[in-house]
Amino acid sequence: MNPELASYAAVCDGVAQLFQPFVEVVLHDLETETAAHIAGNFSKREIGEPSLLHEIDFRPTERLLGPYEKVNWDGRRIKSISIILRDSNERPTAVMCINADVSHFHAVMQTLSAFASIPIDHAKPASLFKEDWHERINEYIQNWTGSRGLIIAGLTREQKQQVVKDLSADGAFGGKNSAAYISRILGMGRATVYKYLNQDRSVDA
């Protein structure tokens, strides 16, 4: 290997070891147009074989090519980026290609998507959810916050008070222990929930 590229070889090894077994790093010597070093090899390339980079026209200021997609020999999808390495005179001397095997992640994404999806023709069974006030409260609060562009964790004291008031108006406190459940969801004490309810009722009176 060209002695000037030896330090880059250590970088290749470090990147490949950090992300093993998902990343391969190939260092191409532009002077000999061959693969000078390969770390984490999964492409079955060999050191010394032609780089096939001679047709690339590097612009004077170009440093990176990609990311771009490739296909490995076994059909796996590869996400790649090429780093153009230059000498002190800004002359391109090598190309470091980092290849990430993303096929495993695509498989995980597909599995999670399939697991999380619910067929559109499968409605909630009425017999199970008719009396489930937990479910109704959950949906109510999610709709309440979502319609206002809010999240439960970010509600102010005044907003929580308004949620309690609106829940009460819709009869959400009719279920046994519903006040305790709502207090847990909103992250406040049960006494505070009752305080808001009493304030609301005193105003109505």
Side-chain angles (χ1 to χ4, degrees):
M1 180 192 300
N2 184 335
E4 295 181 1
L5 302 184
S7 59
Y8 294 125
V11 175
C12 295
D13 291 338
V15 172
Q17 288 183 31
L18 179 62
F19 295 103
Q20 65 177 341
F22 304 109
V23 169
E24 169 193 77
V25 188
V26 183
L27 183 64
H28 299 277
D29 186 339
L30 291 179
E31 183 176 351
T32 61
E33 294 189 0
T34 60
H37 187 76
I38 304 174
N41 192 338
F42 56 62
S43 65
K44 292 196 173 182
R45 304 196 66 169
E46 294 183 352
I47 294 177
E49 71 178 22
S51 295
L52 305 177
L53 297 175
H54 59 279
E55 295 181 354
I56 298 179
D57 183 19
F58 301 116
R59 293 193 295 271
T61 58
E62 198 162 38
R63 296 286 181 180
L64 297 173
L65 295 175
Y68 51 90
E69 187 178 63
K70 299 194 300 184
V71 178
N72 200 31
W73 63 272
D74 54 3
R76 286 181 289 172
R77 294 174 63 181
I78 306 298
K79 182 179 180 181
S80 302
I81 191 167
S82 295
I83 305 168
I84 301 164
L85 307 175
R86 300 172 180 273
D87 60 17
S88 58
N89 296 317
E90 287 299 305
R91 183 179 64 89
T93 59
V95 175
M96 182 185 297
C97 294
I98 303 176
N99 304 316
D101 177 5
V102 295
S103 61
H104 301 282
F105 302 99
H106 282 291
V108 170
M109 290 169 59
Q110 291 173 351
T111 301
L112 291 175
S113 177
F115 180 77
S117 65
I118 300 175
I120 58 175
D121 58 342
H122 282 62
K124 296 177 180 178
S127 59
L128 284 177
F129 288 92
K130 182 173 63 175
E131 300 300 331
D132 189 352
W133 53 264
H134 295 87
E135 176 76 8
R136 295 201 304 272
I137 289 173
N138 292 345
E139 290 186 351
Y140 188 98
I141 294 178
Q142 289 303 316
N143 290 334
W144 195 96
T145 54
S147 65
R148 293 165 173 77
L150 303 170
I151 59 173
I152 294 176
L155 293 179
T156 64
R157 181 176 61 182
E158 291 76 15
Q159 289 167 339
K160 290 180 180 180
Q161 185 172 1
Q162 188 61 50
V163 174
V164 170
K165 178 179 178 180
D166 293 345
L167 282 167
S168 177
D170 276 13
F173 288 90
K176 185 179 180 181
N177 297 324
S178 57
Y181 182 67
I182 291 170
S183 69
R184 292 198 300 271
I185 292 178
L186 297 179
M188 56 187 185
R190 197 184 331 179
T192 304
V193 172
Y194 286 122
K195 175 184 175 182
Y196 291 162
L197 286 173
N198 292 332
Q199 288 175 346
D200 184 39
R201 289 164 184 163
S202 64
V203 170
D204 293 340

